[in-house]
Structures are given as structure tokens and as C-alpha cells.
Amino acid sequence: SGDVFSMATIRRIYKVWLFWGWMLIIWGALALANFGSFWKAQRRIGKVSQIWGKGLVRIFGIKIKLVGDINSFRGGLLVSNHTGYIDIVVYAALLSLRFAPKRSIQKWPFIGWFVGTGRPIWIDRFSPRKSKLVAKQFQETMDNNISLLVFPEGTSTSGVDGILEFKSTPFEAVIAGNNWLLPAIIRYGETPRSEEH
């Protein structure tokens, strides 16, 4: 049992090193992607973010089972329930996206710096007055054919007690720009009953 524990520990340490190494590589790629005009750079950042997500999915051994077709989705709003930070990795692996994280993440060591390099739309949940500016950024992103990921509940939940009331700002941006809306739901540890694609 000592050998098994030792091997399991070695594997965990190896994954930690892989994770931080991958984060540094992607941070460098994001820094390079930032050059050029804003929206061209944003499209490159979305592609780098997708590579980041695919890499982390492999590192963590996450198996994704997708029900439905999202390959034709471009330049719209992807809304989903939010169960935890791993959701972001899963969606990043599936699509080239721009993210809308909460502003408090900016203060997190390294992670805030890393996320900021990806030019997200920072959300201040305690400042309703800024919602108009955020809505404008949402609309401009989608109008430039860049897909945007938003968790309209405004926080993560277990989902056991259902979905929380949605914030209206992202939907107002969709209506104002006549953009596409893709609703999605994410679950872990379950096999979808419907046909997989």
C-alpha cells in the first residue's frame, strides 16, 4: 500500500507541475496575442484560451460528453448554470470564448494577472451603475463575432435547489444587438440520457 500511495502522490505532484507549466506557457501566448488591433487581438486570445482549456482537460483527465451541436455557434452569448471554476475550463475547451469574471478575481495572486491578460469583461456585482457599461461591452463583443460566456446566476451553486434568478444585463445586450443566444447546462458525474453527438 505504501508503493501505491507513493505512486499516487507522485502523479499528483506531476499534475501540479504540468498545470503551472501549462499556465505559464499559455500566459506567454496570451501576452503575444494581445498585440495588434483590439478585436483582432481578442479573436486570437479566444483561440489561445481554447487551447488552454483543451490542455487543462487533458492534464486533469476530464472527459466531456457533449449533447447537441455547438460547432456552428459564433458571435453570440453562451449562458449556463455555474457549479464551480472547472466549468470555465470545460467551456473553454469546447469554444473560442471571451469571459466575464467577477472583478474580485483581479486581486488573486497570479490568477488575477493571468485572467487579466485574456482581456475579460470584469463584472462588479456590487455596482449596478456599471451595468450599462458592461452591457455595452457585451454587445460590442458579440457584434464583432466573438462568443461570450456568462453565468447569469451571478455566482456558483450546487444546483441541488434549482437555478437562481438570472441577472438581466447579458440578455439586454443580446436583444440590443440582435445576437445569438445559446443556453446550456453543465453537469458532472452523470451520463446524459439523450443521444450523444
Side-chain angles (χ1 to χ4, degrees):
S1 61
D3 291 339
V4 173
F5 174 78
S6 177
M7 287 303 297
T9 302
I10 290 171
R11 280 196 294 270
R12 281 193 289 269
I13 293 172
Y14 175 65
K15 284 189 176 183
V16 168
W17 278 103
L18 274 180
F19 168 77
W20 285 111
W22 185 238
M23 293 290 279
L24 286 170
I25 290 170
I26 293 298
W27 176 80
L30 285 173
L32 291 173
N34 268 274
F35 289 102
S37 64
F38 184 87
W39 294 113
K40 285 184 179 180
Q42 195 68 64
R43 291 186 188 93
R44 289 194 297 268
I45 288 168
K47 292 177 182 178
V48 172
S49 297
Q50 188 173 17
I51 293 169
W52 166 76
K54 288 181 177 181
L56 288 189
V57 161
R58 293 194 65 177
I59 290 170
F60 293 131
I62 299 170
K63 295 181 180 179
I64 301 174
K65 294 183 178 180
L66 179 64
V67 177
D69 180 19
I70 62 170
N71 293 326
S72 59
F73 179 69
R74 295 288 185 278
L77 180 69
L78 170 62
V79 295
S80 170
N81 63 314
H82 189 25
T83 62
Y85 292 110
I86 200 70
D87 301 348
I88 298 166
V89 174
V90 171
Y91 282 122
L94 293 172
L95 289 166
S96 172
L97 296 164
R98 190 180 190 188
F99 303 98
K102 57 185 180 182
R103 185 169 291 279
S104 59
I105 291 178
Q106 282 183 301
K107 299 179 181 179
W108 293 9
F110 183 78
I111 298 298
W113 184 33
F114 177 86
V115 174
T117 310
R119 294 188 185 182
I121 299 173
W122 295 108
I123 305 297
D124 189 342
R125 294 170 184 166
F126 302 101
S127 179
R129 289 180 299 177
K130 294 182 180 178
S131 61
K132 287 186 177 180
L133 175 60
V134 168
K136 182 181 178 183
Q137 291 177 305
F138 282 176
Q139 184 181 338
E140 287 176 347
T141 298
M142 292 182 284
D143 287 348
N144 280 276
N145 205 33
I146 295 171
S147 300
L148 178 68
L149 171 64
V150 173
F151 300 114
E153 292 174 281
T155 186
S156 59
T157 65
S158 64
V160 174
D161 298 320
I163 297 176
L164 301 178
E165 183 179 348
F166 285 179
K167 310 298 181 184
S168 63
T169 301
F171 301 100
E172 291 169 3
V174 169
I175 294 170
N178 195 27
N179 288 299
W180 290 99
L181 173 66
L182 177 64
I185 188 165
I186 191 166
R187 295 176 179 172
Y188 296 98
E190 297 181 10
T191 302
R193 294 180 183 178
S194 55
E195 184 181 356
E196 294 173 14
H197 298 278

